[in-house]
Amino acid sequence: MADDRLIVALDVATMEQLKNLVTTLGDSVSYYKVGMELFYAAGAETVTYLQEQGKSVFLDLKLHDIPNTVAQGVASLTHLGAKLITLHSQGGPVMMAAAAKAATEAAEKLQVERPKLLAVTVLTSFDDDAWTAIGGQLPIRDQVIRLAKLAKESGMDGVVASPLEAKAIREVCGEDFLIVTPGIRPSFAAANDQKRIATPKSALADGASKLVIGRPITKADNPQEAVRLIVEEMEAIHP
């Protein structure tokens, strides 16, 4: 039975690749992430297809613009039925609040479930050197916590953050706040271009709600076996 704390990242560029992967993984996965590469290539059909297969969708488009533009974008995306939608916390509190209001109003108007909004904090590809290069003043961890608190105050349902910050976010934002963590690398996988990473077991132990995992599954020789091993690691700490 699929564990809905696991979200598999569909880092592919075509509907054919999406369908092949979903077919290969079958009932072992119930939740998928559609990101920029796939959505920009194939559009709303990606979300519709996944829903037709009985899957939940995390739409990871990282919206970031002036408040009105992001609010209108969220309103337009609400009709697709994705469970989760991302925007950048660094767009600020007014932008986030406008997005939350737009999601609620659009869902009520359309009579659909309101998507939960996740604020992206600091991308997991950042390490200290890269963070300093763009003018980061606070240590990464402190900035992530600051943005998570701001996101909660602005009406966000949760954040996207590295597993290394999950414990601190859980402590300051409470048990009902969603913490979705990319940068998860099971014990058998390579780090690739992720810098701030953790295993599934440690991420869940530190308070992560859901784990986003891509290449360790999608590039595996046996993707379904990779899922089995990952779920086994996850359930070692939280059955």
Side-chain angles (χ1 to χ4, degrees), residues 222-233:
N222 186 335
Q224 201 165 69
E225 176 64 8
V227 168
R228 188 190 69 77
L229 291 172
I230 289 166
V231 171
E232 195 173 85
E233 285 190 42

Side-chain angles (χ1 to χ4, degrees), residues 149-187:
K149 290 169 67 176
L150 183 64
K152 183 176 182 181
E153 292 165 2
S154 303
M156 296 294 96
D157 300 289
V159 291
V160 178
S162 128
L164 302 188
E165 293 96 37
K167 186 173 183 179
I169 294 170
R170 181 63 65 211
E171 288 172 355
V172 299
C173 292
E175 290 302 313
D176 295 333
F177 198 62
L178 287 171
I179 304 173
V180 177
T181 57
I184 302 298
R185 287 298 178 264
S187 56

